[in-house]
Amino acid sequence: EYDYDSDLGPFDTGERWTVTTKPVVPFSLNEDWNLITRTIAPVIYQPELVPGTGSEFGLGDINATLFFSPAESGKLIWGLGPVFSFPTASDDVLGTEKWSAGASLVALTIQGPWVVGGLVNNLWSFAGDDDRASVNQTLIEPFLNYNLDKGWYLISDIIITANWQADSSNRWTVPLGGGAGKLLKIGSQPINVRTEAYYNVAKPDSAPDWQWGFTIQFLFPK
């Protein structure tokens, strides 16, 4: 996943580029339960936001979630499990320098051409650099797909975050937007490609105004 953020920093002139690897791997535990692992590993390039501070490039904090999901879930597909954030950032500007853990829930349903669902989690820090702020952050990710003909679809995948350590005026990030994608094959390999754009209607002072993203997913169905 490639993301471009614009208009960030104290002067609303900064930019940031992020390339994120997000493998999702399911395992069958037994006849009743599956384990689905989801890992997020970002590589970030952030040019100088304030004169004299320099640019930053490197690995950010890695996030991992373990979803336990019923093997036979019916019309509502869901998963519940722990989420972890590891202080793997190669520079203190690119991460929290905190070990964090919490809980995550995902659910979705398919109704005709519609795919409707959401993911929610909360992370609390429990160890790490004492000089850095504690982590207490909620993520709410509602998503909506409308499937069209020939593998095309429309999508809105909004990631809302709340930093409970910040004051009320800098707590919430709320984007609005969406995009389009297509399922296709290159040879025998199924691939999902999509592009999206979002505008933050609420955000902390130095957060970006806009985000544009492009995603390529390689699919390996059984």
Side-chain angles (χ1 to χ4, degrees), residues 21-43:
T21 304
K22 296 182 177 182
V24 177
V25 184
F27 300 92
S28 177
L29 297 178
N30 52 45
E31 294 182 355
D32 298 320
W33 291 94
N34 294 327
L35 173 65
I36 303 169
T37 67
R38 180 176 184 256
T39 305
I40 300 174
V43 175

Side-chain angles (χ1 to χ4, degrees), residues 79-97:
L80 176 67
V83 56
F84 306 95
S85 180
F86 308 105
T88 54
S90 55
D91 189 278
D92 57 2
V93 174
L94 303 178
T96 63
E97 294 194 305

Side-chain angles (χ1 to χ4, degrees), residues 47-63:
E48 187 175 73
L49 298 181
V50 178
T53 59
S55 62
E56 304 294 342
F57 173 77
L59 180 67
D61 289 347
I62 291 177
N63 181 287

Side-chain angles (χ1 to χ4, degrees), residues 8-22:
L8 73 155
F11 306 111
D12 290 334
T13 58
E15 300 174 304
R16 181 171 57 220
W17 292 266
T18 306
V19 177
T20 309
T21 304
K22 296 182 177 182

